[in-house]
Amino acid sequence: MSKKLGERKGDFFKALKRLEEALEKDITDDLVVDGIIQRFEFTFEQAWKSMKLHLEDQGILDEALSPRSTIRCAFKQQLISNGDIWIEMMLDRNRTAHMYDEATAVTIVKLVKEKYIIEFNDLKKSLE
């Protein structure tokens, strides 16, 4: 494993831990919702970049260039088990990064709490 991959995985694991800590808070508080959204965005970025470096480390270089292609390749290589949820997560991450709507933010926080956190933890297990 390359040093860069090890560092990226460490960053992903730390971001995931911070996201999990935020999810324990009261999600009816607007500041908490904002914090969860920001931590979700950061955790997603670290996750897909960790997948990309892992795939490169395995000699799979050409396919994993963007988040979408990395997710597809990670699913194909069985690094993740639910590509559809990861694509949905990527789209939600894009929604939060390019516009802010309170109702959308609350909906995405609920998805993070109910679905996305499971996928992040499954990826963590695959990378360990």
Side-chain angles (χ1 to χ4, degrees):
M1 174 174 52
S2 71
K3 180 180 177 187
K4 190 174 180 181
L5 173 57
E7 290 172 356
R8 179 68 69 185
K9 284 176 19 179
D11 291 343
F12 167 56
F13 297 166
K14 286 177 199 169
L16 177 56
K17 183 176 186 217
R18 296 202 29 120
L19 176 60
E20 289 174 325
E21 290 169 355
L23 289 172
E24 294 173 5
K25 306 293 183 196
D26 176 13
I27 65 167
T28 62
D29 182 321
D30 291 344
L31 288 175
V32 172
V33 169
D34 293 350
I36 291 171
I37 291 295
Q38 187 171 26
R39 288 181 182 191
F40 163 65
E41 290 172 354
F42 188 68
T43 303
F44 179 82
E45 288 299 306
Q46 296 302 316
W48 89 261
K49 290 176 181 177
S50 293
M51 284 190 268
K52 181 180 185 291
L53 286 174
H54 176 81
L55 294 166
E56 288 174 356
D57 196 58
Q58 300 296 311
I60 306 162
L61 302 172
D62 297 340
E63 296 179 55
L65 302 173
S66 68
R68 185 180 300 269
S69 64
T70 299
I71 290 166
R72 286 186 183 139
C73 189
F75 177 71
K76 184 176 162 185
Q77 298 298 317
Q78 300 178 338
L79 184 59
I80 57 174
S81 60
N82 196 325
D84 290 339
I85 291 179
W86 277 91
I87 294 296
E88 178 185 337
M89 195 185 317
M90 177 195 70
L91 295 172
D92 282 341
R93 185 259 175 239
N94 291 344
R95 274 186 210 100
T96 63
H98 299 295
M99 64 142 200
Y100 189 82
D101 171 65
E102 190 175 332
T104 301
V106 169
T107 299
I108 291 172
V109 165
K110 289 177 182 172
L111 288 168
V112 170
K113 194 168 191 157
E114 295 166 9
K115 289 190 340 186
Y116 300 162
I117 198 72
I118 295 166
E119 297 301 318
F120 285 140
N121 277 300
D122 287 349
L123 174 61
K124 181 182 178 199
K125 289 176 194 164
S126 293
L127 292 172
E128 287 181 317

